[in-house]
Amino acid sequence: MRRVKNNFDVSLLAGAAFLGAIVPAQAQTGASDAAAQTTQISDIIVTAQRREERAQDVPIVISAFSPERIRELNITEPQKLYGNVPSLVVGTQGQASRDVQSFSIRGQSTGFLALPSVATYFNEVPLIASISLSLQGGPGQFVDLENVQVLSGPQGTLFGRNTTGGAVLLSAHKPSTDRVEGYVQGSYGNYDLVNIEGALNVPLIEDKLAVRVAGAYYDRTGYTQDIVWDKDRDNQHWYTGRVSILAKPTEQLTNNLMIYGSRSRNNGAGYINRGFRIGSLVTGNCATPACAAIYNRQTEISQQIGPRKTRNDADSYSNIDAWGVINTTDVELSEELTLRNIISYQKLKSDYGNDNDGTPLQAYQISQSANFPDFPVAGLTDEFGIPVNGYNNAVNLTGPRDHLKQFTEELQLQGRALDNHLTYAIGGFYIDTKPASVWQSAAVQFCSPDNTGNPVTCAGTRSLSGVTNKSRALYAQGTLDFGAFSASLENLRLTAGYRYTWDTVKGFNTSWSPRADGTVICSVLGPIPRPSPADCRFDATLKTKAPTWTIGLDYKPIDGLMVYGKVTRGYKAGGFNSVAVNSEFRTFDPEKLTSYEAGFKSDWSIGSVPGRLNVTYFYSDYKNIQRPGSDFNRTTFAGGAKILSATATIQGVEAEASIRPFEGLEIGGTFSHTDADYKKYQFTSLGADRTCLPGGGFAVVPFGGTVDASCIPFQFVTPYIYNIRATAKLPMGEDMGELSYLISYSHFSKQHTSPTGDPSFEPGSTLEPYGLLNMSLDWRNIRQTGLDASLFVTNATNKLYRVANANSYNGLGIFASLYGEPRMYGIRLRYSFGNN
């Protein structure tokens, strides 16, 4: 551990040495040097503090992407931000669907059944978030955007939903009232990629009323072939549409109404089997060597056919429907005062079925509809002598897994005072997310090979549930430039904010297994038969409240340099545990995090060569971390899950640098190192859990004993992430346009993914390090026609790498993994018209 700490020392010393080198250069050449100004590193206007500012002027770690950069990097989904933002991890986070692409920043991730730790905002409104899968909104979120902003650290004062990790801001392109403009774009590539996208902006009344319509269609076959179902898993098939209406009836009043919708239908995730733990819960009925041989043979076949083929007993699928209305009204009460109101209504429905073990055995799968096989699984009879009668324990449900509706309302007053030396925002926020219908699910587990498909011994479980989350908050934040009091204090600024939040979560669950005589066995209440599923229901409510705050100083001693420091308190609401089997774990408490940051942002130039270097060090005290773990009720003999509590400290360094050695060439990159350590992490053993020993190593703890898990690696943290990129732009003559080439390499160190298990006891829980090489070549505005032609490739070296692990080896006896995208390439044509 000492070696890791020294890495921080080296990083900080290197940053200080670099700063010492560039400050004299800045003073000698001067920020107003004409040559430097003509080749300055480009800026992006951001809204990280709910007002428009240069990213370099905001004392927050921000990674911002322009529309041009989004196209160059081929960012069409959240996963493709991974590697381009310091400390950001994107992945399924152990969940069953690839449509789940959750964000984790600085070790704050979205836990099982929990609210997001990094919230996604669309036009300043938090996207509706589901519970069983950590979805935030539907697909197509990166279509026709003005920019994408990733904010690191707690966002507990100005933004709507309290988070401990950060926020991702998506800003849709607003209508323009003075010109007709738009674009149409088409892409074609390997894996039968077809992507059509476009937007049209039409002013209806000059300077008063305009409409912008945007839409996209995306279709690509999958890269994992299911040889049982003859289907491609890991495919994509979605489309999205958006209509925005901007009205300016007076000089003081502006209203932007946006309506969006998206729909996705795909064949689900292709889990690859890598092993079974004989004698676990799933394989508990497998008592003979012949039965165990069946499990081992399935893994052997999986190894023979390779990581791009699978053999599912369930026809996996994923269906997502999302739509929403967001209305933003701005009223200029005076030159210094603006009243804003943001109101929204959204709906999200997700439905999925999956086979998490990746074999024709019914070991671990979830289904929402009648999607289990109704035909024999080839090969089992001849090789193992198992009767092939079809799967008679198929599940037919009538409702989706998640179906939610969400209403938000925010009223905000923004102002300026003291000759613009004071800026402030005061407001209130309300969010109500509730079920639009009852959530339904079913699972078939714990079936040994000789019981696969048997409706009596492998009846599976059914579940009905619903969760409501309500939050109310009042907040205020301001930034004061002390130049208001003395010219010598100009550019020394104090930022302070405070927020108080009241949260209420309510939930219910009804889980049961049907019996042949019409009665049921409740999953929670134990082995005694009950007359009907209604007798298995339990409810719970959790009310919490907490303050969050931020305070910081920043100073610009010279042009192009800002140093800053701040302390921020973050908070994330608790939740309802729909799979609890003990009453004390039916709800779980909020997380709290205090973050300390110090850093600098610098723009500098040496002669005519401009550059940029931003460096931040952070330290976080993280309490009541929400971690899922197995649970068991010895009175009712029921198995389930509980949400555990842990305490940790996290520290890290984040850096962003770029330089333009000459006009047309820019070289840059990002770097982050995150060091997360549990300080206290204890829970009750279920009989096979392992505890950390003081001198190193582990020992098995009997049932009911206390497990110390503080020595295991932190979940969903990639300790080292770096990206190196170069962009070269070459004019091709007055009439030929511009040629632009981007090459980007991202490297990811190992990542631990299990919430409770050490890598030595949870096979595959640590994802191996890997690197990805992406490239694009763009010929822009060909012959001044508005036509662009692009070639793009991601994972150019066709690297094989894992992106997720089932982490069910010790609990359910399953070892299976998801693999990342292979090499993807294609061509894109884009025609733009108007002043786009």
Side-chain angles (χ1 to χ4, degrees), residues 69 113 217 329 362 402 422 450 464 551 607 629 746 753 779 820:
R69 181 52 57 88
L113 303 178
Y217 168 83
T329 304
Q362 280 189 308
D402 286 300
L422 173 65
D450 51 350
L464 305 177
I551 185 166
S746 298
T753 61
W779 187 2

Side-chain angles (χ1 to χ4, degrees), residues 4 36-37 41 155 368 391 450 464 667 678 681 753 768:
V4 173
Q37 289 298 315
I41 302 296
Q155 306 297 318
Q368 310 306 98
Y391 284 180
D450 51 350
L464 305 177
I667 302 172
Y678 289 113
Y681 189 6
T753 61
E768 300 79 8

Side-chain angles (χ1 to χ4, degrees), residues 113 115 129 131 161 404-407 430-435 439 467-471 503-506 573-576:
L113 303 178
L115 291 171
I131 300 297
R161 186 185 289 279
L404 303 103
K405 54 187 178 181
Q406 175 175 290
F407 172 79
Y430 174 78
I431 184 171
D432 183 4
T433 308
K434 62 179 63 176
W439 308 343
V467 180
T468 297
N469 279 283
K470 290 185 180 181
S471 181
D503 286 307
T504 301
V505 58
K506 294 181 180 181
F576 171 77

Side-chain angles (χ1 to χ4, degrees), residues 284-329:
N285 294 325
C286 190
T288 66
C291 183
I294 296 175
Y295 280 116
N296 294 331
R297 176 57 180 155
Q298 298 307 308
T299 301
E300 184 180 60
I301 295 174
S302 180
Q303 293 171 343
Q304 291 172 349
I305 63 179
R308 297 301 186 192
K309 292 182 180 180
T310 190
R311 301 157 61 244
N312 288 358
D313 65 310
D315 188 9
S316 303
Y317 67 97
S318 177
N319 301 334
I320 300 172
D321 295 282
W323 66 269
V325 180
I326 301 173
N327 190 85
T328 303
T329 304

